[in-house]
Amino acid sequence: MVVEDGARAAWMKALLLLCLWDLCYGQLSYSVSEEAKKGTVVGNLVKDLNLSVQELESRMFQLVAGSNAKYFEVNQKSGILFVNDRIDREQLCESKQKCVMNVEAMIHNPHKLYSIEVNILDINDNSPGFPRQSINLNISENVLPGDRFPFMTARDFDIGSNSVKTYTINTNDYFSIDTQSDSAELVLQKSLDRERESVIKLVLTAVDGGTPPRSGTMQIFISVLDINDNNPVFTKPIYKVKVHENASIGTKITTVVAADEDEGANSEVAYSIVNHDGNSAIDLFSINTVSGEITVNGNIDYEENSAVELRIQAQDKGQPPRMSRCKVLVEVVDVNDNAPEISVTLLMISVREDIKPGTDVALIIVSDKDSGMNGKVGCKIIAPSPFKLQLSYKNSYALVVNEALDRERVSQYDVTVVANDGGTPSLSSSTVITLHVSDVNDNAPLFPAPVINISVKENSPVGGLLASVTAKDSDIEENALVSYSLIDSESSRVSNLMNINSHTGELYSLKSFDYEETKRLQFKVQATDSGVPPLSSNVTVNVFILDENDNNPVFLPPYSEPGSVNSENIPYSAEAGYFVAKVRVLDADSGYNALLSYHITEPKGTNLFRIGTSTGELRTKRRMSDNDLKTHPLIITVSDHGEPSLSTSVTIEVVVVENMDSLQPSLRQVPVKEDNFSNLNLYLLIAIVSVSVIFLLSLIALIASKCYRTDGDFSISSAPVVTTHPDGSWSYSKSTQQYDVCFNSDTLKSDVVVFPSPFPPADAELISINGGDTFTRTQTLPNTGVVRQCT
């Protein structure tokens, strides 16, 4: 609908103009430059139309609306036609030589129509311009001077003198420009050479005729096209290289390079080896057709070919192709490619360890297939060795014993012999000569310690195993086969008491031992090997007899008669604690086996008496009464602390009397010190002398063991030690246990001698005899410790 309304309005306007055409008075023509400023005067319509200024307003003078009416305006008061909008001639008329704008003006009462023609004048407001900023031209390098090459011209939207007038190019050696014809052309002035200059850059400038002139430029890139007009050229006419013989296949020896100044396929070079005289040595090498790298292609042997001449051809891929050649002189370098060879001849299967230094044990011959320095061979032994090489003559050596051998230290030697030649680098070969060292009987059997201590319980069964006494021999085979024997001393025949297994060294008893008779046996065992001559060594064996509880306590006089009833008298007036009698007992055992305790068994009647468990003193517990019996038979039992415990009993009949004065002094109940040397004192003296002798022997044995003991000594049982003290007490120790028995000056109150056993029970107690009717139990004796209790 909008399109139809516009078309109807246009037809109505056209009819109106036709109707008023007859009213047109004439046509006016004006000129104005493009791009004139707004308000620029175009013409004076009042003057040119012969109108008065008053008529402009009264008759409503105006411009008729149209496509060009917007560019102009009329001043109603002065009638001046002036520019109302920007005028661009190139936009309105493009490239037309004359640009005219028609504008109609109308006046009313009566109506008249005036035609106004405005000629738009061109100004130089546009620079010449090329369709493209740059162009590329490809010109072969074989074109001749004088050839022409047209190019695109510039365009200027201005007209007349403001349009393009001239073309220029920058100064160069090859081209000029010709603008005499209708189109500008480049003219070649000098022959092209791509290898000299492959790209030529030109700047083309178009200049118009305006004032001031305007210009536009375009870059022309001329690529000179190559033709195959150059041969490949090697960097050297002759290449000289060296290659070692036996170089591995693929080893690079050199690279030849040929350059072609052409480009593209014309510059692509392919390399090849030319066989010019049928030489088969060229087959030992190959060349990479692209890179020109020459590598080893076969086994190069200096002895066959000391030098090889190769002819290399380089050919490009142009049409027709061009080529050139060069020489490669290959010098083969001799290398040390043969290692020495070693030949060994053993002079003996094995080497005795007592062989004398300087004795030859093997012959060694070395050789090398090379010659000169490469064939000169030296021989040596690596690593420390008791052998050395001694040169016999050229390339012949003897393997000689250099120092004493010891099979027990090293039983086999692996002697590594190395042969080196004089080449560079030196080649070497090695061989291992294995030499076994045979044994000789040079080591006596050795016991683990110079003294061996053994403990055995008394009353052990006959034939029981006591211990194994073994020695080790560092030799082997027959030289290490050891036999054992007992050595009888002059004082005793130990072979009657012991037997030893000659093969194993096991000791067996031939009799049952009694501690009370023998406390220690000492003898020697000899170990002898089976070598020739045989070697032997001795060891001292101490057999300590351990006490067993095999002796019952024995009553001493006056209660020593078995089955007898002993009688003791006490007065009726005796107070509590009255001393009745003292029972004396001796046990032949020692240690806890001889530690005694006293008890009253089977008491009858009222319990009137008590006995000290450790002293053996019989005393009253209270005063007498009329209800008490006059005769009191008492059974006194003495028990030791052995395992199992042994005991002995005695019967004492205590008679209560009214008057003690009628009794003989010998029957008095209060003990008196005896002036004469009694049996008890004799027993004590014998015991003291025995213990002193044992102590001295033990001390001597201890000093001897300390002197001969080594770090490797071991002891099955330590020797007992018995010591005496100035106060009359004795100390008996076994291993690390020690017990003291102390005596008062009153031997009647301290007459029990205790010999502790070497192995007391863990819960045993030491009882100290203090001579009174009471006793004190000291601390429990551990298996290892020293306890003393003396009062």
Side-chain angles (χ1 to χ4, degrees), residues 448-473:
V451 178
I452 297 177
N453 296 322
I454 303 173
S455 297
V456 59
K457 293 182 179 180
E458 67 172 327
N459 303 322
S460 296
V462 177
L465 176 64
L466 302 182
S468 292
V469 182
T470 58
K472 292 184 178 180
D473 196 315

PDB file of all heavy atoms in Angstrom, residues 448-473:
ATOM      1  N   PRO A 448      89.830 -76.984  72.365  1.00  0.00           N
ATOM      2  CA  PRO A 448      89.272 -75.625  72.508  1.00  0.00           C
ATOM      3  C   PRO A 448      89.856 -74.850  73.674  1.00  0.00           C
ATOM      4  O   PRO A 448      89.779 -73.628  73.703  1.00  0.00           O
ATOM      5  CB  PRO A 448      87.765 -75.882  72.697  1.00  0.00           C
ATOM      6  CG  PRO A 448      87.673 -77.289  73.192  1.00  0.00           C
ATOM      7  CD  PRO A 448      88.813 -78.037  72.562  1.00  0.00           C
ATOM      8  N   ALA A 449      90.467 -75.544  74.658  1.00  0.00           N
ATOM      9  CA  ALA A 449      91.031 -74.848  75.807  1.00  0.00           C
ATOM     10  C   ALA A 449      92.152 -75.718  76.366  1.00  0.00           C
ATOM     11  O   ALA A 449      92.131 -76.949  76.225  1.00  0.00           O
ATOM     12  CB  ALA A 449      89.972 -74.581  76.878  1.00  0.00           C
ATOM     13  N   PRO A 450      93.135 -75.135  77.046  1.00  0.00           N
ATOM     14  CA  PRO A 450      94.215 -75.947  77.625  1.00  0.00           C
ATOM     15  C   PRO A 450      93.769 -76.778  78.823  1.00  0.00           C
ATOM     16  O   PRO A 450      94.370 -77.788  79.123  1.00  0.00           O
ATOM     17  CB  PRO A 450      95.257 -74.906  78.023  1.00  0.00           C
ATOM     18  CG  PRO A 450      94.497 -73.640  78.193  1.00  0.00           C
ATOM     19  CD  PRO A 450      93.384 -73.696  77.212  1.00  0.00           C
ATOM     20  N   VAL A 451      92.693 -76.336  79.491  1.00  0.00           N
ATOM     21  CA  VAL A 451      92.166 -77.054  80.647  1.00  0.00           C
ATOM     22  C   VAL A 451      90.666 -77.203  80.478  1.00  0.00           C
ATOM     23  O   VAL A 451      89.976 -76.230  80.136  1.00  0.00           O
ATOM     24  CB  VAL A 451      92.478 -76.323  81.967  1.00  0.00           C
ATOM     25  CG1 VAL A 451      91.867 -77.065  83.151  1.00  0.00           C
ATOM     26  CG2 VAL A 451      93.979 -76.167  82.148  1.00  0.00           C
ATOM     27  N   ILE A 452      90.180 -78.413  80.690  1.00  0.00           N
ATOM     28  CA  ILE A 452      88.743 -78.690  80.592  1.00  0.00           C
ATOM     29  C   ILE A 452      88.279 -79.182  81.949  1.00  0.00           C
ATOM     30  O   ILE A 452      88.863 -80.134  82.509  1.00  0.00           O
ATOM     31  CB  ILE A 452      88.450 -79.732  79.500  1.00  0.00           C
ATOM     32  CG1 ILE A 452      88.860 -79.182  78.131  1.00  0.00           C
ATOM     33  CG2 ILE A 452      86.973 -80.104  79.498  1.00  0.00           C
ATOM     34  CD1 ILE A 452      88.660 -80.170  77.008  1.00  0.00           C
ATOM     35  N   ASN A 453      87.266 -78.557  82.514  1.00  0.00           N
ATOM     36  CA  ASN A 453      86.701 -78.938  83.808  1.00  0.00           C
ATOM     37  C   ASN A 453      85.394 -79.677  83.601  1.00  0.00           C
ATOM     38  O   ASN A 453      84.519 -79.239  82.839  1.00  0.00           O
ATOM     39  CB  ASN A 453      86.468 -77.697  84.670  1.00  0.00           C
ATOM     40  CG  ASN A 453      87.767 -76.995  85.010  1.00  0.00           C
ATOM     41  OD1 ASN A 453      88.781 -77.640  85.262  1.00  0.00           O
ATOM     42  ND2 ASN A 453      87.747 -75.666  85.010  1.00  0.00           N
ATOM     43  N   ILE A 454      85.259 -80.807  84.313  1.00  0.00           N
ATOM     44  CA  ILE A 454      84.076 -81.653  84.206  1.00  0.00           C
ATOM     45  C   ILE A 454      83.557 -81.903  85.613  1.00  0.00           C
ATOM     46  O   ILE A 454      84.344 -82.135  86.548  1.00  0.00           O
ATOM     47  CB  ILE A 454      84.387 -82.992  83.511  1.00  0.00           C
ATOM     48  CG1 ILE A 454      84.970 -82.738  82.125  1.00  0.00           C
ATOM     49  CG2 ILE A 454      83.155 -83.870  83.418  1.00  0.00           C
ATOM     50  CD1 ILE A 454      85.466 -83.989  81.446  1.00  0.00           C
ATOM     51  N   SER A 455      82.277 -81.887  85.820  1.00  0.00           N
ATOM     52  CA  SER A 455      81.647 -82.200  87.097  1.00  0.00           C
ATOM     53  C   SER A 455      80.841 -83.481  86.961  1.00  0.00           C
ATOM     54  O   SER A 455      80.118 -83.660  85.966  1.00  0.00           O
ATOM     55  CB  SER A 455      80.739 -81.055  87.555  1.00  0.00           C
ATOM     56  OG  SER A 455      81.491 -79.882  87.779  1.00  0.00           O
ATOM     57  N   VAL A 456      80.962 -84.361  87.970  1.00  0.00           N
ATOM     58  CA  VAL A 456      80.214 -85.622  87.975  1.00  0.00           C
ATOM     59  C   VAL A 456      79.764 -85.900  89.412  1.00  0.00           C
ATOM     60  O   VAL A 456      80.486 -85.652  90.374  1.00  0.00           O
ATOM     61  CB  VAL A 456      81.086 -86.771  87.429  1.00  0.00           C
ATOM     62  CG1 VAL A 456      82.351 -86.968  88.241  1.00  0.00           C
ATOM     63  CG2 VAL A 456      80.284 -88.060  87.368  1.00  0.00           C
ATOM     64  N   LYS A 457      78.552 -86.358  89.521  1.00  0.00           N
ATOM     65  CA  LYS A 457      78.017 -86.647  90.846  1.00  0.00           C
ATOM     66  C   LYS A 457      78.599 -87.958  91.368  1.00  0.00           C
ATOM     67  O   LYS A 457      78.827 -88.902  90.608  1.00  0.00           O
ATOM     68  CB  LYS A 457      76.492 -86.738  90.794  1.00  0.00           C
ATOM     69  CG  LYS A 457      75.807 -85.425  90.477  1.00  0.00           C
ATOM     70  CD  LYS A 457      74.302 -85.591  90.496  1.00  0.00           C
ATOM     71  CE  LYS A 457      73.602 -84.264  90.211  1.00  0.00           C
ATOM     72  NZ  LYS A 457      72.132 -84.416  90.216  1.00  0.00           N
ATOM     73  N   GLU A 458      78.845 -87.970  92.699  1.00  0.00           N
ATOM     74  CA  GLU A 458      79.303 -89.224  93.289  1.00  0.00           C
ATOM     75  C   GLU A 458      78.188 -90.264  93.195  1.00  0.00           C
ATOM     76  O   GLU A 458      77.015 -89.946  93.069  1.00  0.00           O
ATOM     77  CB  GLU A 458      79.725 -89.007  94.734  1.00  0.00           C
ATOM     78  CG  GLU A 458      78.586 -88.645  95.695  1.00  0.00           C
ATOM     79  CD  GLU A 458      79.035 -88.638  97.139  1.00  0.00           C
ATOM     80  OE1 GLU A 458      79.914 -89.449  97.493  1.00  0.00           O
ATOM     81  OE2 GLU A 458      78.495 -87.830  97.925  1.00  0.00           O
ATOM     82  N   ASN A 459      78.633 -91.499  93.222  1.00  0.00           N
ATOM     83  CA  ASN A 459      77.718 -92.649  93.141  1.00  0.00           C
ATOM     84  C   ASN A 459      77.048 -92.755  91.786  1.00  0.00           C
ATOM     85  O   ASN A 459      76.007 -93.415  91.647  1.00  0.00           O
ATOM     86  CB  ASN A 459      76.645 -92.601  94.236  1.00  0.00           C
ATOM     87  CG  ASN A 459      77.242 -92.541  95.632  1.00  0.00           C
ATOM     88  OD1 ASN A 459      78.261 -93.189  95.902  1.00  0.00           O
ATOM     89  ND2 ASN A 459      76.632 -91.750  96.514  1.00  0.00           N
ATOM     90  N   SER A 460      77.562 -92.017  90.746  1.00  0.00           N
ATOM     91  CA  SER A 460      77.006 -92.150  89.395  1.00  0.00           C
ATOM     92  C   SER A 460      77.233 -93.570  88.914  1.00  0.00           C
ATOM     93  O   SER A 460      78.219 -94.229  89.273  1.00  0.00           O
ATOM     94  CB  SER A 460      77.676 -91.157  88.445  1.00  0.00           C
ATOM     95  OG  SER A 460      77.400 -89.847  88.828  1.00  0.00           O
ATOM     96  N   PRO A 461      76.357 -94.080  88.038  1.00  0.00           N
ATOM     97  CA  PRO A 461      76.505 -95.467  87.583  1.00  0.00           C
ATOM     98  C   PRO A 461      77.786 -95.627  86.765  1.00  0.00           C
ATOM     99  O   PRO A 461      78.221 -94.721  86.061  1.00  0.00           O
ATOM    100  CB  PRO A 461      75.264 -95.688  86.728  1.00  0.00           C
ATOM    101  CG  PRO A 461      74.790 -94.339  86.363  1.00  0.00           C
ATOM    102  CD  PRO A 461      75.148 -93.449  87.508  1.00  0.00           C
ATOM    103  N   VAL A 462      78.342 -96.777  86.837  1.00  0.00           N
ATOM    104  CA  VAL A 462      79.558 -97.090  86.104  1.00  0.00           C
ATOM    105  C   VAL A 462      79.248 -97.128  84.606  1.00  0.00           C
ATOM    106  O   VAL A 462      78.208 -97.641  84.172  1.00  0.00           O
ATOM    107  CB  VAL A 462      80.144 -98.440  86.573  1.00  0.00           C
ATOM    108  CG1 VAL A 462      81.383 -98.815  85.750  1.00  0.00           C
ATOM    109  CG2 VAL A 462      80.492 -98.380  88.062  1.00  0.00           C
ATOM    110  N   GLY A 463      80.168 -96.577  83.802  1.00  0.00           N
ATOM    111  CA  GLY A 463      79.990 -96.558  82.347  1.00  0.00           C
ATOM    112  C   GLY A 463      79.217 -95.354  81.835  1.00  0.00           C
ATOM    113  O   GLY A 463      78.945 -95.260  80.636  1.00  0.00           O
ATOM    114  N   GLY A 464      78.866 -94.418  82.698  1.00  0.00           N
ATOM    115  CA  GLY A 464      78.139 -93.233  82.267  1.00  0.00           C
ATOM    116  C   GLY A 464      79.027 -92.266  81.487  1.00  0.00           C
ATOM    117  O   GLY A 464      80.222 -92.158  81.738  1.00  0.00           O
ATOM    118  N   LEU A 465      78.417 -91.564  80.522  1.00  0.00           N
ATOM    119  CA  LEU A 465      79.132 -90.573  79.718  1.00  0.00           C
ATOM    120  C   LEU A 465      79.398 -89.347  80.560  1.00  0.00           C
ATOM    121  O   LEU A 465      78.480 -88.719  81.092  1.00  0.00           O
ATOM    122  CB  LEU A 465      78.334 -90.202  78.470  1.00  0.00           C
ATOM    123  CG  LEU A 465      78.931 -89.104  77.594  1.00  0.00           C
ATOM    124  CD1 LEU A 465      80.260 -89.555  76.997  1.00  0.00           C
ATOM    125  CD2 LEU A 465      77.954 -88.724  76.484  1.00  0.00           C
ATOM    126  N   LEU A 466      80.674 -88.988  80.689  1.00  0.00           N
ATOM    127  CA  LEU A 466      81.044 -87.820  81.475  1.00  0.00           C
ATOM    128  C   LEU A 466      81.087 -86.556  80.613  1.00  0.00           C
ATOM    129  O   LEU A 466      80.548 -85.519  80.986  1.00  0.00           O
ATOM    130  CB  LEU A 466      82.418 -88.044  82.127  1.00  0.00           C
ATOM    131  CG  LEU A 466      82.520 -89.265  83.046  1.00  0.00           C
ATOM    132  CD1 LEU A 466      83.908 -89.332  83.645  1.00  0.00           C
ATOM    133  CD2 LEU A 466      81.457 -89.221  84.139  1.00  0.00           C
ATOM    134  N   ALA A 467      81.737 -86.624  79.482  1.00  0.00           N
ATOM    135  CA  ALA A 467      81.858 -85.464  78.590  1.00  0.00           C
ATOM    136  C   ALA A 467      82.499 -85.928  77.294  1.00  0.00           C
ATOM    137  O   ALA A 467      82.982 -87.068  77.189  1.00  0.00           O
ATOM    138  CB  ALA A 467      82.683 -84.345  79.230  1.00  0.00           C
ATOM    139  N   SER A 468      82.472 -85.031  76.297  1.00  0.00           N
ATOM    140  CA  SER A 468      83.156 -85.274  75.029  1.00  0.00           C
ATOM    141  C   SER A 468      84.314 -84.303  74.922  1.00  0.00           C
ATOM    142  O   SER A 468      84.117 -83.085  74.916  1.00  0.00           O
ATOM    143  CB  SER A 468      82.191 -85.085  73.841  1.00  0.00           C
ATOM    144  OG  SER A 468      81.205 -86.094  73.842  1.00  0.00           O
ATOM    145  N   VAL A 469      85.509 -84.862  74.863  1.00  0.00           N
ATOM    146  CA  VAL A 469      86.718 -84.044  74.751  1.00  0.00           C
ATOM    147  C   VAL A 469      87.207 -84.174  73.313  1.00  0.00           C
ATOM    148  O   VAL A 469      87.734 -85.222  72.925  1.00  0.00           O
ATOM    149  CB  VAL A 469      87.792 -84.509  75.750  1.00  0.00           C
ATOM    150  CG1 VAL A 469      89.025 -83.616  75.638  1.00  0.00           C
ATOM    151  CG2 VAL A 469      87.244 -84.504  77.159  1.00  0.00           C
ATOM    152  N   THR A 470      86.959 -83.134  72.504  1.00  0.00           N
ATOM    153  CA  THR A 470      87.294 -83.214  71.085  1.00  0.00           C
ATOM    154  C   THR A 470      88.277 -82.123  70.701  1.00  0.00           C
ATOM    155  O   THR A 470      88.318 -81.049  71.313  1.00  0.00           O
ATOM    156  CB  THR A 470      86.031 -83.070  70.225  1.00  0.00           C
ATOM    157  OG1 THR A 470      85.398 -81.820  70.521  1.00  0.00           O
ATOM    158  CG2 THR A 470      85.058 -84.213  70.470  1.00  0.00           C
ATOM    159  N   ALA A 471      89.075 -82.440  69.694  1.00  0.00           N
ATOM    160  CA  ALA A 471      90.054 -81.494  69.146  1.00  0.00           C
ATOM    161  C   ALA A 471      89.817 -81.371  67.650  1.00  0.00           C
ATOM    162  O   ALA A 471      89.323 -82.294  67.008  1.00  0.00           O
ATOM    163  CB  ALA A 471      91.475 -81.961  69.428  1.00  0.00           C
ATOM    164  N   LYS A 472      90.158 -80.229  67.120  1.00  0.00           N
ATOM    165  CA  LYS A 472      89.992 -79.968  65.690  1.00  0.00           C
ATOM    166  C   LYS A 472      91.368 -79.875  65.033  1.00  0.00           C
ATOM    167  O   LYS A 472      92.298 -79.296  65.589  1.00  0.00           O
ATOM    168  CB  LYS A 472      89.211 -78.671  65.457  1.00  0.00           C
ATOM    169  CG  LYS A 472      87.765 -78.758  65.875  1.00  0.00           C
ATOM    170  CD  LYS A 472      87.023 -77.481  65.524  1.00  0.00           C
ATOM    171  CE  LYS A 472      85.548 -77.579  65.905  1.00  0.00           C
ATOM    172  NZ  LYS A 472      84.800 -76.343  65.563  1.00  0.00           N
ATOM    173  N   ASP A 473      91.434 -80.430  63.819  1.00  0.00           N
ATOM    174  CA  ASP A 473      92.662 -80.391  63.036  1.00  0.00           C
ATOM    175  C   ASP A 473      92.380 -79.625  61.753  1.00  0.00           C
ATOM    176  O   ASP A 473      91.435 -79.946  61.027  1.00  0.00           O
ATOM    177  CB  ASP A 473      93.139 -81.812  62.722  1.00  0.00           C
ATOM    178  CG  ASP A 473      94.593 -81.828  62.263  1.00  0.00           C
ATOM    179  OD1 ASP A 473      94.963 -80.978  61.435  1.00  0.00           O
ATOM    180  OD2 ASP A 473      95.339 -82.705  62.734  1.00  0.00           O
TER     181      ASP A 473
END
